């Protein structure tokens, strides 16, 4: 059912075995709630996991465009873009997520890490310091951010 399919990763894992049913459930969910970034993200993950990255990216782009003030929609698009190695577009998506929600810690972390990879050290430092100032809870990302900052400030 839609309710079961929309609940998240457990439902997605169970439904991946039957792609057509899973796709139908998520499409029905989007029909009922067309502005749902969560449902769009789950459907995009299903497409990605079933070898349809273009379809996944199209859906995430549409979701982010339909929800410009939804930080989660922007962030999720950034993750898909990052995974597709579209770094400049991912940066724009993470910046849009921060604009929509200035307290979204993970967007600062991802943006800072991307900036490191591009050699944009001042921007990387600013984003990673902002990330840490927001008291994030992901211990691994905190340690990585601290290590990156230490290395960049030498």
């Amino acid at each position: 059912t839609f309710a079961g399919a929309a609940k998240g990763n457990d439902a997605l894992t169970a439904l991946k075995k039957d792609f057509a049913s899973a796709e139908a459930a998520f499409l029905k969910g989007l029909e009922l709630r067309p502005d749902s970034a969560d449902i769009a993200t789950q459907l995009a993950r299903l497409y990605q996991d079933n070898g349809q990255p273009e379809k996944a990216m199209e859906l995430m782009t549409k979701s982010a465009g339909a929800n410009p003030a939804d930080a989660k929609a922007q962030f999720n698009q950034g993750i898909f873009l990052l995974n597709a190695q579209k770094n400049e577009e991912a940066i724009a998506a993470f910046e849009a997520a921060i604009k929509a929600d200035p307290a979204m810690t993970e967007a600062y972390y991802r943006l800072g890490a991307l900036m490191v990879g591009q050699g944009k050290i001042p921007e990387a430092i600013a984003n990673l310091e902002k990330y840490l100032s927001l008291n994030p809870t992901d211990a691994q990302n905190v340690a990585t951010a601290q290590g990156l900052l230490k290395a960049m400030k030498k």
Side-chain angles (χ1 to χ4, degrees):
T1 67
F2 162 67
K7 286 191 178 179
N9 290 333
D10 292 337
L12 182 62
T13 301
L15 289 172
K16 275 196 285 188
K17 295 176 182 167
D18 184 358
F19 176 81
S21 295
E23 182 184 37
F26 287 124
L27 288 172
K28 180 66 174 175
L30 283 176
E31 185 181 305
L32 296 172
R33 293 185 45 213
D35 61 339
S36 174
D38 289 333
I39 296 170
T41 298
Q42 294 300 326
L43 180 55
R45 285 182 183 155
L46 181 72
Y47 288 145
Q48 185 78 30
D49 291 347
N50 281 280
Q52 299 178 34
E54 298 85 11
K55 205 167 184 178
M57 189 64 65
E58 179 183 323
L59 183 61
M60 290 311 302
T61 300
K62 182 178 176 184
S63 175
N67 298 291
D70 185 332
K72 194 173 195 177
Q74 303 306 317
F75 179 81
N76 289 341
Q77 181 188 31
I79 294 296
F80 275 85
L81 290 163
L82 182 62
N83 290 337
Q85 299 180 337
K86 296 182 177 190
N87 293 347
E88 291 302 321
E89 293 173 61
I91 287 170
F94 293 135
E95 288 173 340
I98 290 167
K99 183 178 179 184
D101 180 3
M104 183 175 245
T105 58
E106 188 69 14
Y108 288 102
Y109 174 78
R110 298 292 181 157
L111 192 53
L114 266 169
M115 296 293 182
V116 169
Q118 293 190 333
K120 298 177 180 176
I121 303 307
E123 295 93 336
I125 290 171
N127 280 291
L128 292 172
E129 285 179 341
K130 180 65 176 180
Y131 167 73
L132 292 172
S133 77
L134 294 170
N135 300 312
T137 58
D138 185 319
Q140 183 176 349
N141 287 355
V142 168
T144 300
Q146 289 170 335
L148 288 169
L149 284 167
K150 184 177 178 182
M152 288 185 290
K153 290 182 176 183
K154 281 187 176 182

